[in-house]
Amino acid sequence: MAVGSKDLTPIDLREFDDARLVDELKKAKGELFNLRFQSATGQLENHGRLRAVKKDIARIYTEMRERELGIGAAPAKGEKA
């Protein structure tokens, strides 16, 4: 069973343009910060969410690196993002 957000599957990430990937990365890092803060103060109810957000961040970084190396490509301008 895969861990992570249902809306950030690798197939969906391939459809995002570069700016959207950066935006999703910022949101995921902000959420991770908040979850870590909740964990430190004892308010975190769902500890599995920490792992899911970390995996989402790794997926985003992987897609960005693949595009950098030329393995994957950003969608064309006319395609759905």
Side-chain angles (χ1 to χ4, degrees), residues 7-8 13 16 19-30 57 60:
D7 58 337
L8 287 181
L13 288 175
F16 293 167
R20 175 102 187 260
L21 277 177
V22 172
D23 184 47
E24 290 293 329
L25 181 63
K26 286 180 184 178
K27 286 195 297 189
K29 283 189 168 189
I57 291 171
I60 294 169

Side-chain angles (χ1 to χ4, degrees), residues 1-43:
M1 171 116 185
V3 176
S5 299
K6 303 221 183 294
D7 58 337
L8 287 181
T9 62
I11 295 169
D12 292 335
L13 288 175
R14 288 185 192 108
E15 295 175 358
F16 293 167
D17 61 350
D18 292 337
R20 175 102 187 260
L21 277 177
V22 172
D23 184 47
E24 290 293 329
L25 181 63
K26 286 180 184 178
K27 286 195 297 189
K29 283 189 168 189
E31 183 178 359
L32 182 62
F33 174 80
N34 290 332
L35 290 171
R36 284 182 174 163
F37 194 87
Q38 289 175 4
S39 178
T41 59
Q43 297 175 350

Side-chain angles (χ1 to χ4, degrees), residues 40-51:
T41 59
Q43 297 175 350
L44 185 63
E45 295 178 7
N46 184 3
H47 294 280
R49 187 69 186 138
L50 274 168
R51 183 175 182 197

